[in-house]
Amino acid sequence: MSKSRTESSAYAALGASSAKAGVLNAIGEGSTSRYFASPVTDPVGDATYAYFLHADGAGTKSIVAYLLYRETNNASWFRTLAIDSLVMNIDDVACAGGTQGLVLSNTIGRNRLLIPDEAVAEIIGGYRDTVAMMSELGVDITLSGGETADVGDLVRTLIVDSTLSARVPRRDLVDTYRVRGGDLIVAFSSTGQCTFETRPNSSIGSNGLSLARNTLLSGYHVDRYPEVSDPGLSRSVAYRGPYKVTDSLPELGMSVGEALLSPTRTYAPLIKKALGEFRTGIHSLIHCTGGGQTKIKRFGQGVRFEKDSLFETPPIFSLIQNLGSIPWSEMYAVFNMGHRLEACVEPSVAPELIALASQFGIAAKVIGRVTSLDGENEVVISSPHGTFTY
C-alpha cells in the first residue's frame, strides 16, 4: 500500500503548511518527539523540575471574526479569539503534563485603521472570561499582561497570539516514548456541546482555517474587503466558495461564519483529572492540531497507530471536502475530523477515561490501537472514505 502525503497540496496552494516539514527541518527537530511540548531546564535551577515557555495563537481565524464584524458591525465576534489563542497553548502544554503553575501573556498585532479599540477590548475581555472559567474547572492560570501593537505596515487585519509558561515536576511529564504495541487509542470528540461551552461546537478548532475559509467563502468577501486575502494568491484558490459568512446552513445548525469561528474546545480540565487518576496508564496525550489525524506520527518510537473507528465526520469537514474536491487523505492530514485529543493508554484505562470524559459532556471512545513496527512510525486510517497510510 502506498503512503499518503502528510502535507496538503490544497493547503500549500494557499501559502500554508499543515505538516510544517520545512519549519521542522529549519529548526533541526528530529522525526519523533518525546514530549508533546518541549520542556527545557528549570530556570530556577531545580533539577527535579522542567520548564515550558510555549507560544501559539488563533491563526487566520481572526479573519473570520473580522469579516463577521464588517458584515454585522458587531465587535463581539472578536471575543472568542482569546479562547482559541489560550487553548492552543494550554492544551499543548497539558498534553506534556503541565497543568499547574501556568502563566499567560498575550500579544495582539493589528492594523489600527481597520481593527477598532472595541475589538481589542473584546479580546482582552475574552482572555479574562476564559481564565475565570478555567479556574472554576480546576485549572488555574495567572494573566501577566501583554502587548497590543499597531503594526498596519506588517499586518493586514489582526493577529492574536499568546505565550504560556509552566513549571512541571519532571516525574509528572508525559513521555510519549512509553507508547508501545498493545496500547489502545482513546479519542475525545471536538464537536457537540460540553458542560462548559455556551453553544454547540462545529469542531473546526484553530487549524486548517486558511483552507476552510477559502473553500467555503465566496469572492464577495475579497472584492469588498481586499485586506482579507494575500494579494499574491490566484483567484482560482482564494475565496472560491459559494457562501457569505452570514449564510445559515441547516446541516451546520449555524451560519458559515459561526461554524468557522467556533471556539477551540479545551481539554485541559479533563486532562488534569485524567492525569491525577490514571497517570501511569496514560502513555501519550496528543493534541490533534497541525497535521490533524497524522499529528501522532511524530510521537513515540517504532510504532504504528491504527485508527479504524473514528467519530463520524462532522458536517463542517464534509462540506469543505465536497466543495473543495479535496482528497480525503488530505482532509485527515489537515483537520482534526471530529476529535482533537487522543490518548494512547493501557487497555484497562480506556473505559475509565471514557467515563471521565462523560462527566464533562465530551463523547469519547476507542478508535484504534498501537502495534509495534520496525523503522519509521506510521499512521493508518481506515474510514468509510478509504484506507490511508502516512
Side-chain angles (χ1 to χ4, degrees), residues 113-138:
L113 297 178
L114 298 174
I115 306 297
D117 293 342
E118 292 81 1
V120 175
E122 289 288 346
I123 296 167
I124 293 174
Y127 277 116
R128 291 171 179 161
D129 288 350
T130 306
V131 166
M133 178 196 74
M134 297 290 276
S135 178
E136 292 176 0
L137 294 167

Side-chain angles (χ1 to χ4, degrees), residues 45-386:
D46 188 336
T48 65
Y49 274 77
Y51 183 72
F52 293 93
L53 189 62
H54 194 68
D56 212 328
T60 66
K61 202 169 190 175
S62 59
I63 293 176
V64 181
Y66 174 74
L67 286 172
L68 283 165
Y69 159 69
R70 292 299 299 268
E71 289 291 288
T72 66
N73 199 33
N74 182 352
S76 68
W77 292 111
F78 291 100
R79 198 173 191 87
T80 58
L81 295 175
I83 300 175
D84 297 300
S85 181
L86 189 154
V87 171
M88 292 297 285
N89 277 285
I90 190 172
D91 282 34
D92 275 8
V93 172
C95 281
T99 59
Q100 58 189 3
L102 305 169
V103 181
L104 184 84
S105 177
N106 71 84
T107 304
I108 301 170
R110 66 168 175 171
N111 184 323
R112 193 176 186 281
L113 297 178
L114 298 174
I115 306 297
D117 293 342
E118 292 81 1
V120 175
E122 289 288 346
I123 296 167
I124 293 174
Y127 277 116
R128 291 171 179 161
D129 288 350
T130 306
V131 166
M133 178 196 74
M134 297 290 276
S135 178
E136 292 176 0
L137 294 167
V139 180
D140 292 321
I141 307 168
T142 299
L143 280 175
S144 66
E147 165 73 359
T148 298
D150 298 331
V151 286
D153 288 337
L154 294 172
V155 177
R156 296 172 66 82
T157 54
L158 175 72
I159 291 177
V160 180
D161 289 337
S162 302
T163 301
L164 184 81
S165 70
R167 290 182 74 230
V168 181
R170 288 194 173 276
R171 68 176 183 274
D172 291 342
L173 294 175
V174 180
D175 183 351
T176 69
Y177 281 10
R178 294 181 62 220
V179 173
R180 57 178 178 262
D183 284 351
L184 296 180
I185 307 172
V186 178
F188 304 85
S189 174
S190 52
T191 192
Q193 184 174 344
C194 70
T195 58
F196 48 83
E197 291 174 324
T198 59
R199 65 188 68 181
N201 202 307
S202 74
S203 188
I204 193 71
S206 290
N207 290 99
L209 265 293
S210 292
L211 182 55
R213 174 171 41 86
N214 284 285
T215 300
L216 298 183
L217 300 183
S218 74
Y220 160 86
H221 301 86
V222 72
D223 289 339
R224 192 167 184 183
Y225 313 109
E227 61 271 17
V228 301
S229 183
D230 181 344
L233 285 180
S234 166
R235 289 300 294 271
S236 65
V237 297
Y239 291 87
R240 57 194 176 104
Y243 303 117
K244 291 184 179 179
V245 286
T246 52
D247 287 346
S248 292
L249 299 183
E251 59 265 47
L252 297 178
M254 59 188 79
S255 73
V256 175
E258 287 173 310
L260 291 175
L261 198 60
S262 191
T264 306
R265 173 175 293 172
T266 180
Y267 298 94
L270 168 60
I271 291 172
K272 184 172 183 178
K273 289 199 72 172
L275 291 176
E277 296 182 27
F278 315 113
R279 182 177 298 274
T280 59
I282 297 173
H283 297 162
S284 76
L285 290 165
I286 306 299
H287 192 202
C288 303
T289 52
Q293 287 302 311
T294 69
K295 181 86 172 187
I296 197 171
K297 181 176 182 287
R298 291 186 51 218
F299 300 94
Q301 284 188 316
V303 286
R304 177 185 290 112
F305 302 99
E306 300 177 355
K307 303 180 182 183
D308 57 9
S309 187
L310 298 179
F311 287 99
E312 183 177 350
T313 302
I316 184 71
F317 301 127
S318 296
L319 194 64
I320 293 167
Q321 189 279 329
N322 183 50
L323 286 174
S325 298
I326 300 168
W328 284 104
S329 61
E330 292 192 22
M331 291 294 296
Y332 288 112
V334 175
F335 299 105
N336 69 71
M337 299 300 284
H339 75 263
R340 220 189 58 261
L341 177 71
E342 55 194 19
C344 295
V345 302
E346 295 175 1
S348 61
V349 172
E352 303 282 0
L353 282 180
I354 293 169
L356 179 61
S358 71
Q359 297 178 20
F360 293 90
I362 297 174
K365 67 173 184 174
V366 174
I367 60 158
R369 68 210 57 79
V370 179
T371 57
S372 299
L373 177 71
D374 290 329
E376 184 182 353
N377 290 355
E378 286 185 349
V379 175
V380 181
I381 295 175
S382 300
S383 76
H385 313 297

